Amino acid sequence: MSYSSHAEEDDDVEIEEEYLGDYASIRSIVKEALPFQLLATLGGAVAGLILVGMTDELELIPGLIVIYPAVLGMRGNISCTLGSRLGSAIHMGLITKIERNPELTNNILGSLILGFILSVVLGILGHGMTALLGLESAGVISLTLIAVLAGVSSGLILAVIAVFLAIGMFRFGFDPDNVVTPAIATIGDIVSMFMLLMAAKVVLML
């Protein structure tokens, strides 16, 4: 192997070590993640305020109180996983911009399908658990409809936000892995609570 080849390999190793050192440094992690973690705390409080405004719906729809924590958890799990997958795909160079990319499309469609299936399961389980405990339930159809409307609508909104956020943060020099997950968790709580409220109102009007 020639001297120039050795020199090129050494340069590549130095660049990689420098990048990984900055990427994994405590300073970099705290600097990028802290603002969004603070926003996540604030977002949790905002979601709580929305819950306070759902007093009437919780009283008029027996069983809604059972499914609402699960709706938040489900939506957060799916959307945060989507954000993480997008971040990994961006680092691997599989996604560079918003376009008809199989990697991007499959991730979004996969998260939406998961959201729909789990929402149906959640509605059925919510009714079943409520009835099993001898509590009043609005019925399997009403609870399932609320879960599906809230889950799918919030999933669609959060998928769009996750895509723009992941690609945008990367272009501005931020590591999507430090930013997207806490941001989506925060926005997800707020969006999911709001869409759950809207879904409950729709069911009450039917």
Side-chain angles (χ1 to χ4, degrees):
M1 185 180 291
S2 65
Y3 174 78
S4 60
S5 297
H6 280 296
E8 289 177 0
E9 288 183 1
D10 290 340
D11 289 340
D12 290 339
V13 170
E14 289 179 3
I15 293 173
E16 183 177 354
E17 290 179 348
E18 181 180 355
Y19 171 75
L20 290 176
D22 182 63
Y23 173 80
S25 69
I26 296 175
R27 179 178 179 276
S28 173
I29 294 171
V30 173
K31 179 182 177 182
E32 293 186 5
L34 181 59
F36 291 93
Q37 294 293 347
L38 293 174
L39 287 175
T41 303
L42 177 62
V46 173
L49 290 175
I50 297 175
L51 176 60
V52 171
M54 290 181 61
T55 305
D56 292 341
E57 285 73 20
L58 291 172
E59 291 178 353
L60 294 172
I61 305 176
L64 181 59
I65 190 68
V66 175
I67 68 170
Y68 102 83
V71 169
L72 293 186
M74 174 194 71
R75 191 66 273 156
N77 291 337
I78 295 175
S79 297
C80 287
T81 300
L82 172 62
S84 296
R85 289 179 61 85
L86 291 176
S88 298
I90 289 172
H91 281 304
M92 294 169 65
L94 299 175
I95 298 175
T96 57
K97 59 183 179 178
I98 300 174
E99 59 182 354
R100 300 189 72 176
N101 181 320
E103 185 73 22
L104 181 60
T105 303
N106 290 345
N107 272 290
I108 293 174
L109 289 179
S111 70
L112 293 177
I113 292 172
L114 275 173
F116 175 77
I117 294 173
L118 292 177
S119 294
V120 173
V121 173
L122 174 58
I124 296 173
L125 283 178
H127 169 73
M129 292 177 65
T130 302
L132 187 63
L133 293 173
L135 302 175
E136 186 181 0
S137 171
V140 64
I141 295 178
S142 294
L143 292 181
T144 301
L145 182 58
I146 290 173
V148 169
L149 287 175
V152 173
S153 59
S154 59
L156 185 59
I157 294 171
L158 291 172
V160 173
I161 293 175
V163 171
F164 279 96
L165 193 59
I167 295 176
M169 289 296 100
F170 186 76
R171 288 184 177 179
F172 279 102
F174 290 90
D175 179 5
D177 291 333
N178 288 337
V179 175
V180 176
T181 298
I184 289 298
T186 303
I187 299 170
D189 285 346
I190 298 172
V191 171
S192 296
M193 284 300 300
F194 182 74
M195 298 314 298
L196 186 65
L197 174 60
M198 293 298 102
K201 289 183 178 296
V202 168
V203 169
L204 286 174
M205 290 188 298
L206 295 178

